[in-house]
Every structure is written in structure tokens, then in C-alpha cells.
Amino acid sequence: MTANRDSGPLLSVEGVSKTYRSGRRLADRLTGRPETFVQAVNNVSFGIERGEIMGLIGESGCGKSTLGRTILRLHEPTAGRVTFDGTDLGALPDAEMKAMRRRMQIIFQDPYASLNPRRTVAEIVGLPLQLHGLATGRGALREKTAEILEKVGLKSMHLDRYPHQFSGGQRQRIGIARALVSHPEFIVCDEPVSALDVSIQAQIIQLLTDLKQEMGLTYLFISHDISVIGYLSDRVAVMYLGEIVELGSVETVLANPRHPYTQSLMSAVPEVDRPGHRSRVRLTGDLPSPLAPPPGCKFHTRCPLAIDICRQKAPVAESVGPGHTAACHRLHENLSLLEQEAS
Amino acid sequence: MSAPTDKTLLQVEGLRTVFETRDGTVCAVDGVDVIVERGECLGVVGESGSGKSVTFNSVMGLVRSPGRIEAGRIMFEGRDLRALNQTEMRAVRGRDIAMTMQDAMTALNPALTVGEQIAEMLEAHDKGLPSGRNARRRAIRAHSVKMLGLVGIASPETRLGQYPHEFSGGMRQRIMIAIALASMPKLLIADEPTTALDVTIQAQVLELITDTRAKLGMSVVLITHDLGVVAEHCDRVMVMYAGQVVEQGRTADVIMRPKHPYTKGLLGSLPRLSLRGQRIEPIEGQVPELIDLPAQCRFYSRCRERGPECLKNIEMRDAGNGQTARCVRVQKELAT
């Protein structure tokens, strides 16, 4: 490892886009209807420093999971470049990419769907060790697997059990053990707590923060829950319809959100601390279909501040403070939905 | 729990609902008392398996075999709903008490248009519809358009002819609320109305419920696992754990001064921006299996404050100000 590599961000994402071809029915093909595309991720750029937790927040269908998977090359990006520890992942041949996967892992949202019901815990968690040749012999394999289970709060007596014998929270611990067993450096946490009950959610969040300290991990933490992101991330990227609309440190973005979407997202979260003390931004309508995204700024169909230019031209992200960027045509007018409604 | 008054709309006493399984009898709801006053919004909080949905499915008479209501009284406007036969219950269900389900996609009929589903509700609970066939149809249509408009669906006339799959998740939830509200019920039971929705849509749906409650003067029971939702929308809250009510009281009191260790634990488990850098204190362990529970506090194994005095059945104890909790350590405080 060169000194140069150590100094840069661990992961950098430059202009990444991911487009899916939308299903075309036979009738569509026969009548020669043109193909339609879903632009799930559109020209996204950011970097993640070593040891950092980058939060990625957005509503369902905004492309946050696709982005997480595209970064790991579980999906090939349509455009753009992902660099991990100085290596351009897109340029790696398959064999080297496979070796690289030891260092970058993912934890999935659904602890029921993401574990093979026909495999024991030892097989599920031990698989990465076998794939990457990290343990030779049955004894060593079991020993390393048991070791990681202890780390995530399970016991070696659980080794020969099947996923259905565990509760949701325990299954998520198995998923975490599988991601950590190869001692990766970077983990995409894709909504790892949103399927869990409040008390179990707190256990898993605490576990993930403890493990990060202990094992020196870097996370991309994907969530739709502002409270979770606000509690544990260092920086946050706010995504809307495939684009990052605001990015910055959690303190600045959540204390002083500049994009109207971030502002409305913040005001929509009910909090126990100060009920009724916040002004409510009323967003009307639903997320537009990514099959037919609106022209101009993609948020203009729901934005209370939209003016003519927003309907015609897409805004470009600009700096609004140290390390804080937002993409909105009306940034300089210093409008805030939050204050406006309060007055 | 405070005594019923003439403002009381629904009163449930000692409800016990069990399910027979191969492993034994699961007591999903065990001695639950509920009071809902006219015009108020009661929040019901608890984790999966705490019995919150089963309690209100019991109220609606929707518990099916292998489940059954074993004991308890369910009084609605002075009538015991358990004593009603199927026909009588069907008249109450939907007309006086309406319920919305968590998953709008599976609760709506995919083969009927939205208009047909609202009409079905109105036909079943005919409230002064004209008798002539055409006049009746026109009245139903006018009322359906009004209901869709009420729940904030644009161009309701066109939307009436569409099927559930043509609507987004938030829209479907609103349609279910429209169907529930069509017969102007006295009580709306909303079971996790926003759990499947995004926050910005969640805010819209909850405001809709709160607004219509004020407009129609109805009572609402809001079943949720989100304490934030309760804090912003409910007058009173009832916390459930392992089939029992463990704490209830005015929302502000319960959230600011929780008495039961479980409620404290839940509030302490919430990740918040204001707690950055501090450790959250999760409740360790898991909810006990609801089969053959020993006669002791159900939260015992997970409680930080447990002691030998907890190893017996614990009754609800008065904490003052109308707040009660199922914990031996609760003492009555002077009214503030």
C-alpha cells in the first residue's frame, strides 16, 4: 500500500449512473414501441473517508439501494467510476474483483430473505471464509466462524442451527457476522435495522457502532430514517429520484438543511422530544415515477418553492458551506420552508 | 385505568384472546383493559407480538379459529359486542366502528374498482340512501366522490373507476381510510396506517386522520410502533408488552415521565440526533414466548430494575394523574 493511497478517501464515486431497461411486453415490441428506461441513479459523486460513516437517506424508490449495490459492482454501473483504495473497480477483471470483495461487504435489509433457509449458520457465515481461502480445514473454519459469532452477540452453540430457529434480531446478527467474517474494510449497510422492532433496532445500531470502532470499519449506511442517520453518521447524502440533492456533515445538514426536499423530509419526521414544536412542510403528491421523471429539477412537482426555471433546467450541486453542497436554483435567496411556515 | 364516564365510547375489560397451536395455548392478549372516550385519539404502542393488533381485532370480532376470545367484556356505547350475533355484529362493524389495515394492497380487493369498494360499504350500511334505483346510484356516487376528495385524492370522479393497482402506496392507504370513513363511524381503528409508507407520505396520511377526526368528531385508535407518531397525534397512549398493557396515561405524561421500565427502555432505545456520540441503551434480550408464562412480571428477564418482589403477578398501579403502570415500583405521585 502506498502513502498516496492512505491519504485519499477510501472510496470515491464519480459520476455514477445506473439505468435499467424497463420490461417491454411482446405487444410493445411488435408495435415497435420504443424501449423505456428507468434511470435509477443519475450522475452521483461523493467520497467516503476511512473510518467514516456516510449516511444515505431517501424515500423508497429513490435509488439508494441501487447506488449501494452499484458501488460494490453487484450491479454494473451504466456510467461513471467507483474507486476503492486507489483501485478503479470497473477496470478490474472478474478474478481480481472477487478478491476485492473480501474487503467490501454488504448487510441486507431483510433478515428473512437474505439468509438461505436450507443452510446452517456455520455454512452461511463460513462461506466467505471458504470463497476467499481464509480458513483451511474444518476445524479452523468452525473456529473462525464461532469467533465472529461471539463478536456479534451469538454463541458457538448456534453454529449448527438453521435461520428459522432465530428471531429477526438474531438473524440480522447472522447477516452481520457473514459480512464481517472476511474482515472487510468497507461495508454497505442497506437498511439493516428498518425491519426490526424498536428495542431490537437499538441493539443492532449499538452493535454496528461498536464493531466499527473495534474493527476499524467504514460504512455506507443506507436508511430512510433520519433519526437513525442523525444518530450514527458523520456525513449524510440526501437522495431524491436518483440524484443527490444535498450532501454535508450530519450536524450542518440536519441543523441547517438548505434543499427544500431535505427541509420537508426533516419536518415530516415525528419526534418524541418536541411534539408540535416544529413547523410542518406540507408536501403534496407522491414521488414521480422514475420511468418518466419530470424535466428540470426532479423535485419541482412537489416543491412549494418551485418557479419557472425549476421546471426547465436541472440545478447543479453547489457549495453552500464547508463540505456542504446542495442542488437547488433558489439556494441564494436563502429561503427556508421551515422558517416560512413558522412565522 | 380511569373509570368509564358517559363520554366513554368503547370500554374493554379483562380481554383475553388465545390461539391454540401445536406447541400449546398462546395467550396473545391477557387481561387487557381499554377505554376510548368520545372524540379522543388513543395511541397503542408495542412491538411485534405485543398483542396490540389482536386486541383490536377482538374488538372488531375478527378473531378466527384457531384463535378465540376466552374472557372479557367489550362494551361499545353500553352494548356488549361479544353478546351480539353475526348479523348484529356485522351492522356495528364498518358502520359504528371501522378499521384500516396495515397493508392496503392486500386489504383492498384487486378485482373491484375503488368506486365499487366504497359503494359496497355504503350499500351495506345504508344511512338514509334514497330508495329509487337511479337516485340511489347517484347518491352513492356523489358520496364516494366526496369521500375521495376528503382524503385528498385529485380528480376523484376519474379515480373512482380505477383499480387499486393503479394507485401508489400512500394513495391506497388513503383509499382504505376513505372506505372506512364512508359510513361516518364513531370509532376508527387505524392499524399501523403509515408503517409501509415513506415519511413525507406518512405525515400526509396522519394529518388526514387528525383533520377528519376533528371534522367528524370521531374517536381514533392509532396502533403503531412509532413513539414519535404517538407524541404528535395522540391524546392518550397505552403501551403493550407480551399481551398485557404495561403503562397508560396522557401522552405527554407517559413520554416525559415514563413509569414502567419497558416504556423507559423504549424511549431510551430511540436513536436521536440529540444523542449523537452518546451510547443508546438498548433493552437487552427478547420478548418472551407467550406460552406457559410463569406468574411473574413479563418484563422480568429484560428489566434493569428487577428484584425478588417482581416474581409474582403484577397488577396495574396508580402513578397519579391518571397514569398507571404494571410495575411494583410505581408509586402514586401528587397531582401536578
Side-chain angles (χ1 to χ4, degrees):
Chain A
M1 200 176 287
T2 63
N4 180 28
R5 282 183 175 187
D6 270 338
S7 59
L10 179 64
L11 181 96
S12 105
V13 176
E14 292 156 86
V16 164
S17 296
K18 176 68 193 174
T19 307
Y20 293 103
R21 195 184 295 169
S22 168
R24 206 160 59 132
R25 287 181 230 162
L26 182 63
D28 296 341
R29 269 187 255 167
L30 291 176
T31 54
R33 192 174 297 176
E35 279 193 279
T36 47
F37 294 93
V38 179
Q39 181 119 51
V41 175
N42 187 13
N43 194 15
V44 164
S45 304
F46 61 87
I48 306 181
E49 302 293 329
R50 246 168 244 281
E52 186 178 45
I53 302 183
M54 171 69 127
L56 182 60
I57 193 160
E59 297 181 273
S60 43
C62 75
K64 54 194 192 301
S65 289
T66 304
L67 177 59
R69 286 165 199 214
T70 307
I71 286 173
L72 295 179
R73 246 185 94 190
L74 294 175
H75 300 323
E76 293 293 334
T78 316
R81 199 157 69 136
V82 179
T83 317
F84 179 76
D85 197 16
T87 311
D88 180 357
L89 294 183
L92 284 184
D94 284 353
E96 283 175 50
M97 187 61 218
K98 189 185 149 199
M100 193 59 111
R101 290 197 198 285
R102 185 196 66 74
R103 302 171 60 191
M104 22 189 357
Q105 288 288 328
I106 181 165
I107 300 168
F108 295 99
Q109 168 172 8
D110 186 344
Y112 291 82
S114 60
L115 302 177
N116 186 336
R118 292 166 188 274
R119 297 266 180 269
T120 63
V121 171
E123 288 168 328
I124 291 169
V125 177
L127 188 62
L129 292 175
Q130 286 178 309
L131 286 178
H132 299 295
L134 298 173
T136 42
R138 203 178 127 80
L141 193 65
R142 271 183 87 83
E143 196 179 310
K144 284 201 168 169
T145 311
E147 201 177 294
I148 200 79
L149 284 186
E150 301 265 344
K151 259 205 171 103
V152 300
L154 294 170
K155 300 194 177 71
S156 53
M157 68 177 203
H158 292 133
L159 275 172
D160 297 310
R161 295 201 189 161
Y162 290 89
H164 76 265
Q165 294 171 292
F166 295 89
S167 66
Q170 286 175 317
R171 286 185 204 213
Q172 199 53 291
R173 288 175 195 267
I174 298 171
I176 294 172
R178 172 176 59 187
L180 293 181
V181 73
S182 62
H183 287 268
E185 292 148 62
F186 172 68
I187 297 184
V188 173
C189 304
D190 189 1
E191 301 255 21
V193 297
S194 45
L196 307 174
D197 271 320
V198 181
S199 71
I200 308 298
Q201 175 178 328
Q203 291 175 3
I204 299 295
I205 289 175
Q206 201 56 62
L207 176 68
L208 286 170
T209 38
D210 289 347
L211 288 169
K212 179 198 165 251
Q213 291 302 334
E214 208 180 309
M215 305 178 70
L217 299 165
T218 304
Y219 291 152
L220 175 67
F221 199 99
I222 302 172
S223 178
H224 66 278
D225 189 333
I226 281 204
S227 319
V228 171
I229 295 274
Y231 172 73
L232 56 71
S233 356
D234 301 304
R235 282 194 303 147
V236 60
V238 183
M239 226 173 151
Y240 187 81
L241 267 187
E243 291 171 2
I244 289 184
V245 296
E246 185 157 3
L247 176 85
S249 77
V250 163
E251 282 92 348
T252 36
V253 172
L254 299 195
N256 183 20
R258 297 295 304 276
H259 195 282
Y261 178 62
T262 318
Q263 292 171 354
S264 47
L265 205 56
M266 299 259 330
S267 87
V269 183
E271 265 196 79
V272 294
D273 302 85
R274 309 169 292 145
H277 283 263
R278 255 159 330 129
S279 52
R280 253 282 188 259
V281 181
R282 273 173 189 263
L283 280 192
T284 48
D286 292 315
L287 198 69
S289 161
L291 261 175
C297 171
K298 288 184 174 173
F299 186 54
H300 86 250
T301 55
R302 298 172 77 194
C303 182
L305 299 178
I307 50 173
D308 282 343
I309 186 172
C310 308
R311 296 180 191 100
Q312 290 146 12
K313 201 169 147 238
V316 186
E318 38 190 314
S319 172
V320 288
H324 187 181
T325 58
C328 174
H329 287 301
R330 304 191 71 184
L331 280 178
H332 303 292
E333 299 172 49
N334 271 318
L335 300 165
S336 176
L337 289 169
L338 300 169
E339 286 160 4
Q340 201 180 40
E341 297 237 336
S343 62
Chain B
M1 182 137 309
S2 48
T5 60
D6 47 349
K7 277 192 71 197
T8 302
L9 184 66
L10 173 77
Q11 189 195 5
V12 177
E13 275 178 326
L15 180 71
R16 190 174 149 87
T17 306
V18 299
F19 291 83
E20 302 294 344
T21 68
R22 264 191 306 185
D23 301 329
T25 305
V26 174
C27 194
V29 172
D30 192 4
V32 165
D33 299 332
V34 187
I35 284 185
V36 182
E37 306 282 352
R38 283 178 205 278
E40 82 166 343
C41 179
L42 172 72
V44 181
V45 203
E47 299 181 84
S48 0
S50 61
K52 52 194 196 305
S53 293
V54 177
T55 299
F56 289 94
N57 281 335
S58 305
V59 169
M60 291 292 280
L62 294 175
V63 175
R64 297 269 157 80
S65 174
R68 75 197 144 83
I69 300 177
E70 210 175 61
R73 284 207 310 163
I74 303 169
M75 304 297 289
F76 183 78
E77 293 194 305
R79 281 205 293 173
D80 187 352
L81 297 186
R82 284 191 66 201
L84 301 185
N85 64 32
Q86 282 288 344
T87 323
E88 292 167 325
M89 189 60 209
R90 204 170 287 153
V92 172
R93 198 191 295 138
R95 191 186 61 196
D96 292 330
I97 314 179
M99 187 166 183
T100 66
M101 304 295 173
Q102 173 170 357
D103 183 354
M105 193 60 211
T106 50
L108 293 173
N109 187 336
L112 294 183
T113 65
V114 163
E116 284 165 333
Q117 297 187 55
I118 302 180
E120 201 173 45
M121 182 76 161
L122 293 170
E123 288 277 6
H125 302 294
D126 179 356
K127 276 190 177 171
L129 289 173
S131 49
R133 211 165 144 233
N134 283 330
R136 194 179 172 85
R137 202 185 293 158
R138 271 197 303 275
I140 287 181
R141 188 171 170 83
H143 194 67
S144 306
V145 167
K146 199 178 115 199
M147 290 320 295
L148 282 194
L150 182 73
V151 297
I153 286 176
S155 48
E157 288 88 355
T158 346
R159 293 300 231 165
L160 272 184
Q162 293 186 329
Y163 291 89
H165 76 266
E166 298 176 79
F167 293 83
S168 68
M171 291 283 214
R172 275 182 221 136
Q173 191 59 247
R174 274 183 255 185
I175 288 164
M176 203 159 49
I177 294 171
I179 296 174
L181 295 180
S183 62
M184 305 281 170
K186 292 168 185 152
L187 173 64
L188 173 72
I189 300 173
D191 189 358
E192 304 264 10
T194 56
T195 305
L197 305 178
D198 285 315
V199 275
T200 54
I201 311 294
Q202 161 173 302
Q204 290 172 18
V205 170
L206 289 173
E207 267 170 43
L208 165 71
I209 293 179
T210 306
D211 288 353
T212 32
R213 172 166 73 103
K215 262 185 230 158
L216 305 178
M218 69 179 177
S219 309
V220 174
V221 170
L222 193 61
I223 303 176
T224 176
H225 63 271
D226 189 334
L227 283 160
V229 167
V230 168
E232 294 206 352
H233 295 274
C234 301
D235 305 310
R236 281 193 310 123
V237 59
M238 173 174 127
V239 183
M240 291 191 70
Y241 184 78
Q244 295 181 324
V245 178
V246 293
E247 180 157 6
Q248 67 80 38
R250 284 197 306 243
T251 306
D253 294 338
V254 172
I255 283 174
M256 303 309 289
R257 291 177 293 277
K259 300 295 178 201
H260 196 282
Y262 176 65
T263 318
K264 293 179 199 166
L266 268 190
L267 286 161
S269 302
L270 294 179
R272 298 177 220 179
L273 184 60
S274 52
L275 295 180
R276 278 178 67 77
Q278 298 171 38
R279 286 184 69 88
I280 36 178
E281 301 282 343
I283 307 170
E284 300 300 334
Q286 314 162 38
V287 181
E289 294 274 349
L290 299 176
I291 299 177
D292 300 329
L293 284 169
Q296 64 179 42
C297 170
R298 298 206 168 159
F299 191 58
Y300 182 78
S301 62
R302 303 175 76 185
C303 186
R304 287 165 200 278
E305 302 171 33
R306 68 178 169 226
E309 63 280 21
C310 306
L311 293 168
K312 59 172 188 206
N313 272 324
I314 316 285
E315 298 296 318
M316 287 296 266
R317 293 169 61 120
D318 189 359
N321 286 330
Q323 190 177 358
T324 53
R326 199 179 290 277
C327 176
V328 290
R329 307 206 191 289
V330 166
Q331 283 178 352
K332 186 160 179 170
E333 285 173 15
L334 293 174
T336 46

